[in-house]
Amino acid sequence: MNKCIRTITKEWIWVFLFTMISIELVNGQTTMVNIQSRELTSLNGEWKGIIDPTGTGEYLQLWTEKKPVKKTDFYEYSFEEAPVLNVPGDFNSQMNELTYFEGTVWHKKEFSYSLSEGKRLFLHFGAVNYLADVYLNGEKIGTHEGGFTPFQFEITDKIKDGDNALIVKVNNNRKGNGLPGYGYDWFNYGGITRDVDLIETDDIFIEDYFIQLRKGSLDTVLGWVKMNGSHEKQDIEIEVPELNLRYKTRTDDDGFAPVEFSSDFGLWSPEGPKLYRVTLKSDTDFLVDTIGFRSIEVQGNQVLLNRKPIFLKAVNIHEENPQRMNRAYSKEDAQLLLNSAKELGCNLVRLAHYPHSENMVKEAERLGIMVWDELPVYQHIQFSDSLMPAKLEQMLQEMVGRDKNRCGVVVWALSNETYPSTPRRDDRLAELTQKCRALDSARLITHVVNTQGYKNNTVEVWDSLYHHSDIIAINEYFGWYLPWQGKPSETKWNISFPDKPVFISEFGGEAVYGNTDAPTDQAAYWTEGYQEKIYTDQIVMFNTMPNLVGVCPWLLYDYRSLGRMHSVYQKGYNRKGLMSEKGEKKKAWYVIKAYFDSK
Ligand code: GCU
């Protein structure tokens, strides 16, 4: 029987209004979701690159690409013989002279295009790290700050029929008031690191939607659809063919349409990652998505997935292809990393410390691996900078905006190891948490903290951020950065939020794969045996911990981080991987594997 239901509840109206106000308040523009369902023209492939270490291109207005006219004319730039840079791809790994480069690289793509009659055209970037200034045919069409989230510009009135020149000024300099700030423990890959696409739409199109189970429900979807274009009212029809479900709603004067429908969904879980084909149809648009339905919540000091307690067997992953040792971006990269996590026995991956590619989030969902999605609000952040509130909101909007329909995403993590002593840290992050709840009330929200005290083998856990967190996420490195102060089995935990679940979001230590001869009781030899002992001791402690709902070793693979400068053992790599960058399993890998298999 076709379920054609129209119900609008009081609760829904509040959720809807609060969400829409949040979206409109942020930066008034939304990047369209689910672009893979649209007619795309990819601009991936060979671009040209000009390296601009002194920033002269700005002064020369390089984007105007002036050409000599008079015999006496000359211009000190040209893309003609410029080297090729492949997009998507970080530029550091593509040219020797760019290996450690932090600065400006001008990218150019020439393409021809003919816009269909009555259509609109958007230029969409999956991500550019870190600052992007975008020019089309010599005219600036916009800028974007932030290295890990999508953005777009409408170019309907700027595209030429025929040949076009797209120039992107990419700058990956670290910024004191950036997100992240100056200091971070991963490789600062710069470039157009994800897909670039041209997207044609109708005059009025489905720009955004949120279709997920309402908080605490296993059978009712509570969401909305947002149209872009003149806001004449349109009928919206959502279908889930496999459930014989057809739901109708209608947009209001602002182009928003409420969504609320119920069904007997096959719930998504790691054991059964059920996804449904969902279609969205308006008078002028049609999209297809693949959406799963599950419930994630905290009850007392447990995490419940579909109302059943679950232990989070997690691992940290940076967005780096361990074979190429450069920025990961493709579906194949995602499968390589996620299959390694699956082999370890994981049911969750913490995508450290920034939103990874959409490929990674979608592949995880397909493989039945839950995702911890995280903002690069990392350690040294200038919270009191006047531009910081807008940057925080924009990046939150872009992360939640892109991934909110991915049921595999169960945690929004809004900060990592920030310092209570930093001015405005507490109130800015409290504000950010509220905004995140307004955008999505159905997922868990947390802040990762390492402010705990450790004295006399007692861990004192308190941080104001925990007031706003659904789970207490703690990074601790007992046995590596902090020697044990007693028997791990006798470690005491005084957690000032006894009614909240505890998740160890990082622990571990370094070792070089194959380094098994040196003394295994001394950290300074980077032996596998020393790392293995850290893990066995940690597990002894975990077995005595209160409210523990999951653990997350730091991390899956050795990875590049230039601050790791030991010329024998590190060579610019952080060696805390359970595996080497070649995928060689260290002894600690087997310890975690056995522990996860036992849970
Ligand atoms: C920190 C931090 C990680 C870092 C790790 C380390 O907890 O969150 O980004 O790489 O410790 O020191 O290896």
Side-chain angles (χ1 to χ4, degrees):
M1 177 197 70
N2 269 348
K3 277 192 177 179
C4 180
I5 47 178
R6 178 193 294 271
T7 57
I8 295 183
T9 65
K10 278 204 181 64
E11 177 207 356
W12 172 87
I13 291 170
W14 281 114
V15 166
F16 173 63
L17 286 175
F18 206 12
T19 303
M20 292 314 117
I21 291 165
S22 303
I23 287 182
E24 287 312 303
L25 275 184
V26 173
N27 46 19
Q29 49 132 2
T30 319
T31 302
M32 62 179 93
V33 290
N34 187 15
I35 68 166
Q36 285 73 19
S37 175
R38 293 191 176 285
E39 280 295 304
L40 301 180
T41 301
S42 174
L43 295 184
N44 290 351
E46 294 194 349
W47 292 47
K48 291 289 188 74
I50 291 179
I51 307 171
D52 183 6
T54 61
T56 308
E58 194 63 35
Y59 166 72
L60 297 175
Q61 298 192 332
L62 182 148
W63 59 89
T64 58
E65 291 197 278
K66 294 188 187 76
K67 298 284 185 293
V69 176
K70 300 194 298 300
K71 287 188 176 170
T72 52
D73 286 347
F74 65 91
Y75 296 97
E76 296 183 73
Y77 57 76
S78 164
F79 279 101
E80 268 157 62
E81 302 299 318
V84 167
L85 284 175
N86 291 309
V87 167
D90 67 271
F91 52 63
N92 303 91
S93 61
Q94 294 194 50
M95 292 167 62
N96 289 337
E97 51 271 53
L98 287 175
T99 300
Y100 299 115
F101 186 73
E102 293 185 330
T104 294
V105 178
W106 297 85
H107 294 62
K108 178 183 178 182
K109 181 73 175 178
E110 291 181 320
F111 64 95
S112 67
Y113 199 82
S114 182
L115 181 58
S116 316
E117 184 63 33
K119 295 287 189 183
R120 296 169 67 184
L121 189 65
F122 294 84
L123 172 62
H124 181 281
F125 293 85
V128 175
N129 189 45
Y130 175 78
L131 273 178
D133 291 292
V134 182
Y135 304 85
L136 183 63
N137 304 320
E139 183 190 349
K140 185 158 197 178
I141 57 173
T143 62
H144 180 268
E145 177 172 350
F148 306 99
T149 44
F151 58 98
Q152 71 185 35
F153 304 106
E154 181 161 8
I155 55 172
T156 310
D157 303 331
K158 305 193 188 301
I159 193 81
K160 283 195 311 195
D161 197 36
D163 294 340
N164 291 269
L166 171 64
I167 289 178
V168 182
K169 175 187 177 186
V170 178
N171 181 283
N172 71 329
N173 278 123
R174 300 163 189 240
K175 286 165 65 75
N177 68 347
L179 286 174
Y182 277 126
Y184 40 91
D185 188 18
W186 63 86
F187 194 95
N188 179 23
Y189 292 113
I192 303 177
T193 49
R194 294 178 193 157
D195 295 339
V196 184
D197 291 290
L198 294 170
I199 307 170
E200 252 188 48
T201 70
D202 250 86
D203 193 29
I204 305 172
F205 64 93
I206 298 171
E207 176 179 72
D208 198 3
Y209 52 86
F210 190 12
I211 297 177
Q212 284 287 283
L213 287 179
R214 178 174 60 196
K215 189 172 183 66
S217 172
L218 298 184
D219 61 9
T220 301
V221 164
L222 185 65
W224 43 267
V225 176
K226 179 185 178 215
M227 304 300 291
N228 182 304
S230 66
H231 291 313
E232 72 203 36
K233 296 191 176 180
Q234 289 206 4
D235 285 326
I236 307 280
E237 196 170 280
I238 296 173
E239 286 200 50
V240 186
E242 190 180 336
L243 296 172
N244 238 340
L245 185 145
R246 176 178 300 136
Y247 171 78
K248 286 187 177 175
T249 180
R250 187 163 170 77
T251 55
D252 63 14
D253 296 337
D254 296 324
F256 286 110
V259 169
E260 182 175 4
F261 58 82
S262 302
S263 186
D264 182 15
F265 298 102
L267 298 174
W268 183 94
S269 72
E271 298 71 32
K274 176 66 184 166
L275 298 172
Y276 288 94
R277 182 175 185 274
V278 177
T279 63
L280 298 95
K281 183 166 169 292
S282 76
D283 300 352
T284 56
D285 204 359
F286 180 80
L287 290 177
V288 181
D289 204 342
T290 306
I291 295 181
F293 301 96
R294 57 96 191 96
S295 158
I296 188 79
E297 51 192 334
V298 163
Q299 201 171 70
N301 43 52
Q302 290 187 308
V303 169
L304 306 183
L305 177 71
N306 301 328
R307 292 203 189 131
K308 296 193 193 83
I310 187 165
F311 188 82
L312 304 176
K313 301 182 282 188
V315 73
N316 283 285
I317 297 181
H318 262 299
E319 192 172 43
E320 188 171 81
N321 178 304
Q323 290 164 355
R324 297 195 317 263
M325 290 319 283
N326 63 1
R327 182 59 81 209
Y329 57 85
S330 68
K331 193 172 167 183
E332 294 70 26
D333 292 342
Q335 288 164 347
L336 173 67
L337 293 167
L338 293 167
N339 286 331
S340 297
K342 215 148 173 71
E343 186 188 6
L344 182 63
C346 298
N347 60 15
L348 183 142
V349 285
R350 178 182 177 212
L351 302 187
H353 285 288
Y354 37 77
H356 290 206
S357 74
E358 199 169 12
N359 289 319
M360 189 70 168
V361 176
K362 287 187 168 180
E363 279 308 297
E365 187 179 63
R366 193 180 59 78
L367 290 168
I369 301 175
M370 293 178 283
V371 166
W372 168 301
D373 226 338
E374 185 162 310
L375 289 180
V377 182
Y378 182 91
Q379 295 185 357
H380 304 275
I381 299 296
Q382 289 180 7
F383 288 107
S384 53
D385 181 278
S386 60
L387 299 175
M388 191 51 69
K391 290 184 184 178
L392 287 166
E393 284 192 356
Q394 174 211 317
M395 207 168 281
L396 172 74
Q397 173 72 31
E398 292 172 347
M399 174 177 76
V400 174
R402 187 194 73 178
D403 294 342
K404 61 186 178 293
N405 293 310
R406 305 278 70 81
C407 72
V409 175
V410 295
V411 174
W412 301 121
L414 307 185
S415 69
N416 178 73
E417 297 191 349
T418 58
Y419 308 111
S421 57
T422 306
R424 307 301 304 276
R425 173 255 206 181
D426 289 2
D427 63 303
R428 291 278 188 244
L429 290 180
E431 198 180 19
L432 188 66
T433 312
Q434 279 176 336
K435 293 226 172 336
C436 190
R437 286 202 198 286
L439 290 174
D440 175 11
S441 61
R443 285 183 175 87
L444 306 184
I445 296 173
T446 193
H447 293 269
V448 177
V449 179
N450 68 335
T451 56
Q452 63 277 4
Y454 182 46
K455 212 169 159 196
N456 306 324
N457 210 21
T458 302
V459 190
E460 297 289 348
V461 176
W462 186 88
D463 193 296
S464 67
L465 296 181
Y466 288 146
H467 285 297
H468 319 296
S469 303
D470 296 316
I471 52 177
I472 304 287
I474 299 169
N475 290 351
E476 50 84 5
Y477 282 91
F478 304 145
W480 180 250
Y481 291 125
L482 285 176
W484 292 100
Q485 293 173 1
K487 288 187 187 155
S489 59
E490 292 169 6
T491 307
K492 287 189 187 36
W493 286 82
N494 293 336
I495 298 172
S496 41
F497 296 84
D499 57 341
K500 293 194 177 186
V502 176
F503 178 76
I504 301 296
S505 37
E506 286 182 36
F507 66 98
E510 300 210 13
V512 173
Y513 172 78
N515 183 9
T516 49
D517 312 342
T520 57
D521 60 348
Q522 294 176 49
Y525 287 105
W526 267 260
T527 59
E528 284 194 50
Y530 194 90
Q531 185 192 42
E532 180 187 33
K533 180 80 167 54
I534 291 173
Y535 277 84
T536 51
D537 287 345
Q538 286 274 348
I539 289 169
V540 165
M541 177 180 72
F542 294 153
N543 291 336
T544 65
M545 274 187 72
N547 306 349
L548 188 65
V549 295
V551 299
C552 190
W554 183 267
L555 77 168
L556 188 60
Y557 280 97
D558 287 353
Y559 71 101
R560 294 177 69 188
S561 179
L562 299 182
R564 305 296 176 162
M565 301 181 286
H566 193 297
S567 55
V568 175
Y569 302 121
Q570 293 180 312
K571 302 176 185 154
Y573 281 77
N574 182 316
R575 295 284 181 204
K576 294 189 184 68
L578 293 168
M579 296 191 284
S580 73
E581 67 277 21
K582 298 186 179 70
E584 299 147 322
K585 297 181 178 79
K586 302 174 191 175
K587 292 176 188 291
W589 185 95
Y590 297 93
V591 173
I592 285 294
K593 172 67 177 161
Y595 176 64
F596 282 170
D597 288 352
S598 74
K599 299 305 277 183

